[in-house]
Amino acid sequence: MSKLLRRYNVTEYINEMGSVSFRELQKRFPGVSDMTLRTDLKELAEHGEIIRVRGGAKSINSNTHAGDLYFRRLQRNVDKKVQIALKAEAYLREQMEKSPNLSIYLGSGSTTTEIAKHFPDEWCTVVTSSISAAYALASLKKPTVVVCGGTLNRFNCCCDSSSNLAYLERINFDIMFLAVAGYSEIEGFTCVKEVMDETIGIIKKRSKKVIIPIDSTKIGVAYPITHAGLEDVDIIISDDGIKEKDKKHFLDSGVQVL
């Protein structure tokens, strides 16, 4: 079993039980050493997936609503999100000067919401399923903002629905901002929970440029759902804390780094 799958299974077991002792985890995963289990719990807790308690762990959902988790993420690494948003703003202004009335897809996530807060007030069309991003864009006068409907996904404060596919298949996007939770060389760009992967696939295919905003703390981190590989991406926007080796890795793969 890979580390990624094992940690996913550990998290799911903790979420299912609500609270577990370390002894219970040992029984549930008999082929995993105590040291490996302790490392898994430590890193899962650091990434906000579980809560470590004395002698075991408990589900982060046991005392926190999913919507609260999203707003907690909005407050995490704010300085890095702002750096990314300002770089995205500068890039968008440059592109809008060259080609007015761009069609832009803005994915759902805390970093893309920060981008929405710094979005240029210029003529363009922005399509998003993110409720928080749409709310931030509502203060602007010039962009046409299209909000995709569907079932509320509290984890990402967005709407999920396959009914949007027919509409999205008709749009030629100039830019797609794809929200991700992590990147690793093996798994690629990953997310914690599946969010209408078919919809994301269609938008990727219909976009001239795919941009991934990702803060430096998420590089080297992998989650269960892969949304894209380096071959799918044109530009990565990160903060100033990105390591030179990671930047070189992206550049060597033909991906522009801002």
Side-chain angles (χ1 to χ4, degrees):
M1 182 187 299
S2 69
K3 178 175 73 173
L4 178 66
L5 181 58
R6 184 185 68 247
R7 289 185 177 178
Y8 176 74
N9 288 337
V10 168
T11 304
E12 288 296 292
Y13 177 65
I14 294 171
N15 286 336
E16 178 184 348
M17 301 300 293
S19 179
V20 298
S21 66
F22 191 74
R23 185 180 296 275
E24 288 173 315
L25 284 170
Q26 290 173 311
K27 291 180 179 179
R28 178 65 178 80
F29 301 96
V32 182
S33 71
D34 289 358
M35 181 179 294
T36 298
L37 270 178
R38 294 185 193 280
T39 300
D40 286 346
L41 293 180
K42 177 177 179 292
E43 296 192 7
L44 286 170
E46 287 175 352
H47 294 147
E49 302 302 314
I50 63 167
I51 299 172
R52 289 191 76 184
V53 296
R54 186 175 181 83
K58 67 178 181 178
S59 169
I60 199 166
N61 295 321
S62 61
N63 59 356
T64 307
H65 294 296
D68 295 335
L69 295 180
Y70 174 76
F71 289 105
R72 278 190 186 182
R73 296 206 308 278
L74 284 178
Q75 302 304 316
R76 190 182 300 162
N77 296 322
V78 174
D79 57 333
K80 292 178 170 52
K81 290 183 175 72
V82 171
Q83 284 184 13
I84 292 169
L86 291 174
K87 291 180 181 181
E89 179 187 9
Y91 175 82
L92 284 170
R93 289 191 183 280
E94 180 182 331
Q95 298 306 307
M96 288 172 176
E97 286 181 7
K98 296 177 183 177
S99 306
N101 298 312
L102 294 176
S103 295
I104 300 164
Y105 180 81
L106 194 58
S108 57
S110 57
T111 303
T112 49
T113 294
E114 192 65 39
I115 291 173
K117 294 177 182 178
H118 292 80
F119 207 89
D121 195 359
E122 301 292 344
W123 299 111
C124 64
T125 299
V126 184
V127 180
T128 185
S129 62
S130 170
I131 298 169
S132 54
Y135 183 77
L137 293 167
S139 64
L140 305 179
K141 296 180 179 179
K142 294 181 180 179
T144 297
V145 181
V146 179
V147 185
C148 297
T151 303
L152 176 63
N153 179 330
R154 291 178 176 83
F155 186 83
N156 280 321
C157 195
C158 68
C159 293
D160 291 339
S161 176
S162 58
S163 64
N164 297 314
L165 292 177
Y167 170 73
L168 294 171
E169 284 175 338
R170 302 198 305 270
I171 301 179
N172 299 311
F173 290 102
D174 295 291
I175 298 170
M176 175 192 193
F177 284 97
L178 175 58
V180 300
Y183 171 79
S184 72
E185 293 186 27
I186 296 175
E187 286 85 10
F189 295 96
T190 58
C191 285
V192 179
K193 291 183 180 293
E194 190 169 6
V195 284
M196 301 309 296
D197 204 42
E198 187 178 3
T199 302
I200 290 173
I202 285 175
I203 299 169
K204 280 192 300 184
K205 290 179 182 178
R206 300 198 65 81
S207 299
K208 293 178 183 177
K209 286 191 182 297
V210 175
I211 300 176
I212 291 188
I214 181 171
D215 79 58
S216 56
T217 65
K218 296 178 180 179
I219 299 174
V221 178
Y223 290 99
I225 308 298
T226 296
H227 279 326
L230 278 177
E231 67 278 4
D232 301 312
V233 180
D234 299 289
I235 300 172
I236 288 172
I237 304 180
S238 191
D239 57 87
D240 297 340
I242 186 172
K243 296 177 182 177
E244 284 301 319
K245 67 177 183 66
D246 294 326
K247 187 174 182 179
K248 184 177 184 302
H249 168 68
F250 295 135
L251 292 172
D252 289 346
S253 301
V255 178
Q256 182 181 356
V257 179
L258 300 180

